[in-house]
Amino acid sequence: MDKWKDNKAWFLVIPVFILVAFSAIIPLMTVVNYSVQDIFGPDNRLFVGTEWFKEVLSDTRLHDALGRQLLFSGLVLLIEMPLGILIALMMPKKGWASSLSLVLIALPLLIPWNVIGTIWIIFTRPDIGLLGAAINGMGVAFDHTNSAGQAWITLMLMEVWHWTPLVALLAFAGLRSIPEAYFQAAKIDGASTWATFWYIQLPKMRGVLTIALLLRFMDSFLIYAEPFVLTGGGPGNSTTFLSIYLVKIAVGQFDLGPAAAFSLIYNLIVLLFCFSLYQVLLNVGKGEKTS
Amino acid sequence: MNLEWMAWTVPTATFFITIFLTLICMTIWQVLSPTTDRRGFLPISTTRGDRLFIGLLSSAYINLAWLGLTDMTIWISFVLGLVWMAIVMRWG
């Protein structure tokens, strides 16, 4: 343990620590403070203990929003992960075509999130939108502002269009890092394309796919700007996800106490999911190595 | 430094001071005798810090479940959480 004593590099972490303290830790502490008080104004507040937590936990609208959120994240991951891997497998490996496809695929990632929402509002409008008008032209009545099902389909299409590129890029990076020797060995053994994918490419991509899965789960679980712009949580409450409901409480009704309690519970859910997913994926790898 | 905007209360301040003190103590403990991965009753092998995190997170859930499911005082689940933390730290 001589290494530990001389390890002054830890001091280099201090700037990041201070930055995180101001951008995350201090605001989080404030939220905790808010969650146990009734805030009437800057100088007028009342300690209420765990009342807000009780209220929020028994809120059926929150339960519904959580259910919708989980369903949305699950469905989106089920589509994005396989699709991203498929795209990465089909992309050209080298040359100008590879660079071109990388740039084209990365384009949706460069667009600000609320702009994505606006693009899809116009794109799916039944009167002038390219997609909306085309679907209506084929005789199918399509208007995502009227039908909950269609609002969901539109949102998921948008999410998949927006974020599959990230999975594809990560998977592509993982694929490119596999040494050529593996494929040569597979060829000599006469392995089929499927066997090469299942026994070489997929296991070798496990690291990047873990990152992709975690990132995509977190992002889709915390999604706000796109559904807010596209559907505003409607029609009715059909696309009111957790974050949209939270903002409705905090900004719409200015109920800072319940909103803070809600945020903390939201945060705990995210922490639990993140930790469990990370552990599961970490241990799947360990099992493979020893066997 | 004016911290009025953070709306501090005694219970939340106590909570955060305890957390920070715990972290400082864990750091000192780590320097004095570094932790090793070991396997307890939890399904994964953990270090001391892992067990602290798991204990804190699960205690939070115990308290939330208590609030959501019963009408009894939070102090019972608080004690339950502490006992659970001790169990996880020792045998987890």
Side-chain angles (χ1 to χ4, degrees), chain A residues 141-162:
Chain A
F142 178 86
D143 185 0
H144 70 74
T145 55
N146 268 334
S147 144
Q150 289 176 354
W152 267 76
I153 292 171
T154 315
L155 264 182
M156 287 185 41
L157 264 178
M158 176 179 71
E159 172 72 15
V160 167
W161 172 79
H162 188 185

Side-chain angles (χ1 to χ4, degrees), chain A residues 1 4 17 25-30 32-37 39 42-43 45 47 50 53-54 57-58 265 268-273 275 279 283 286, chain B residues 4-9 11-13 15-16 20 27 30-31 34 37 43-45 50 53-54 57 60-61 63-68 70-72 74:
Chain A
M1 280 298 123
W4 175 268
F17 180 79
I25 299 173
I26 291 176
L28 183 68
M29 281 158 71
T30 313
V32 172
N33 291 340
Y34 279 11
S35 70
V36 293
Q37 297 179 84
I39 311 278
D43 303 316
R45 50 202 169 81
F47 184 77
T50 54
F53 286 91
K54 253 188 145 46
L57 281 170
S58 57
I265 295 170
L268 282 174
I269 297 172
V270 170
L271 264 179
L272 180 70
F273 272 117
F275 184 72
Q279 288 299 335
N283 285 304
K286 269 180 194 160
Chain B
E4 185 56 34
W5 67 274
M6 285 181 78
W8 281 104
T9 63
T12 51
F15 171 74
F16 279 114
F20 282 125
T27 312
Q30 172 70 19
V31 173
D37 258 19
I44 47 171
S45 73
D50 293 337
F53 176 77
I54 294 169
L57 190 60
Y61 274 92
N63 279 294
L64 279 182
W66 192 268
L67 273 179
T70 73
D71 279 328
M72 285 180 274
I74 186 83

Side-chain angles (χ1 to χ4, degrees), chain B residues 39-68:
Chain B
R39 185 75 180 264
F41 68 83
L42 290 169
I44 47 171
S45 73
T46 50
T47 62
R48 218 180 275 145
D50 293 337
R51 287 195 291 281
L52 179 73
F53 176 77
I54 294 169
L56 280 174
L57 190 60
S58 44
S59 299
Y61 274 92
I62 290 173
N63 279 294
L64 279 182
W66 192 268
L67 273 179

Side-chain angles (χ1 to χ4, degrees), chain A residues 2 17 24-25 74 78 81 110 115 124 127 129 134 142 167 184 210 227 239 241 270:
Chain A
D2 295 339
F17 180 79
I25 299 173
L78 276 178
M81 295 299 292
L110 302 176
V115 176
T124 54
D127 49 354
F142 178 86
V167 181
Q184 289 162 357
T210 308
T239 55
F241 298 126
V270 170

Side-chain angles (χ1 to χ4, degrees), chain A:
Chain A
M1 280 298 123
D2 295 339
K3 242 183 172 176
W4 175 268
K5 285 173 193 158
D6 296 334
N7 210 339
K8 299 214 170 50
W10 282 106
F11 289 109
L12 298 176
V13 180
I14 287 178
V16 175
F17 180 79
I18 294 172
L19 206 68
V20 171
F22 275 98
S23 67
I25 299 173
I26 291 176
L28 183 68
M29 281 158 71
T30 313
V31 169
V32 172
N33 291 340
Y34 279 11
S35 70
V36 293
Q37 297 179 84
D38 200 351
I39 311 278
F40 301 110
D43 303 316
N44 191 2
R45 50 202 169 81
L46 180 75
F47 184 77
V48 294
T50 54
E51 197 180 303
W52 297 138
F53 286 91
K54 253 188 145 46
E55 187 184 302
V56 164
L57 281 170
S58 57
D59 186 349
T60 47
R61 279 175 301 176
L62 179 123
H63 300 164
D64 295 346
L66 177 65
R68 279 192 287 269
Q69 187 76 68
L70 286 172
L71 183 68
F72 181 74
S73 290
L75 286 175
V76 156
L77 280 179
L78 276 178
I79 300 172
E80 281 178 9
M81 295 299 292
L83 190 62
I85 296 171
L86 196 68
I87 292 173
L89 285 172
M90 295 195 317
M91 272 164 69
K93 296 283 179 292
K94 38 177 115 57
W96 63 271
S98 174
S99 314
L100 182 70
S101 54
L102 276 176
V103 171
L104 284 179
I105 282 176
L107 270 181
L109 297 173
L110 302 176
I111 305 170
W113 297 353
N114 46 357
V115 176
I116 295 236
T118 314
I119 290 175
W120 277 78
I121 283 187
I122 298 167
F123 186 49
T124 54
R125 267 183 70 150
D127 49 354
I128 55 163
L130 192 60
L131 181 71
I135 293 175
N136 278 296
M138 287 187 284
V140 182
F142 178 86
D143 185 0
H144 70 74
T145 55
N146 268 334
S147 144
Q150 289 176 354
W152 267 76
I153 292 171
T154 315
L155 264 182
M156 287 185 41
L157 264 178
M158 176 179 71
E159 172 72 15
V160 167
W161 172 79
H162 188 185
W163 286 111
T164 306
L166 181 78
V167 181
L169 289 181
L170 283 168
F172 186 71
L175 280 176
R176 296 297 297 137
S177 69
I178 305 173
E180 200 56 36
Y182 282 92
F183 295 107
Q184 289 162 357
K187 217 170 197 173
I188 292 168
D189 288 344
S192 64
T193 317
W194 172 252
T196 314
F197 170 70
W198 191 251
Y199 292 108
I200 298 174
Q201 290 172 316
L202 199 59
K204 285 280 166 196
M205 280 195 291
R206 206 192 60 237
V208 283
L209 289 182
T210 308
I211 298 170
L213 187 69
L214 281 173
L215 277 177
R216 282 318 311 134
F217 175 76
M218 290 300 65
D219 266 353
S220 62
F221 200 75
L222 306 175
I223 190 167
Y224 176 70
E226 300 99 316
F228 176 73
V229 174
L230 184 64
T231 65
N237 267 334
S238 59
T239 55
T240 300
F241 298 126
L242 281 178
S243 55
I244 292 184
Y245 185 46
L246 175 61
V247 174
K248 268 184 192 167
I249 300 177
V251 183
Q253 307 165 10
F254 210 69
D255 285 336
L256 289 180
F262 184 2
S263 319
L264 289 176
I265 295 170
Y266 197 176
N267 200 357
L268 282 174
I269 297 172
V270 170
L271 264 179
L272 180 70
F273 272 117
C274 225
F275 184 72
S276 327
L277 256 170
Y278 183 67
Q279 288 299 335
V280 166
L281 290 159
L282 215 64
N283 285 304
V284 165
K286 269 180 194 160
E288 267 170 25
K289 265 176 210 161
T290 49
S291 65

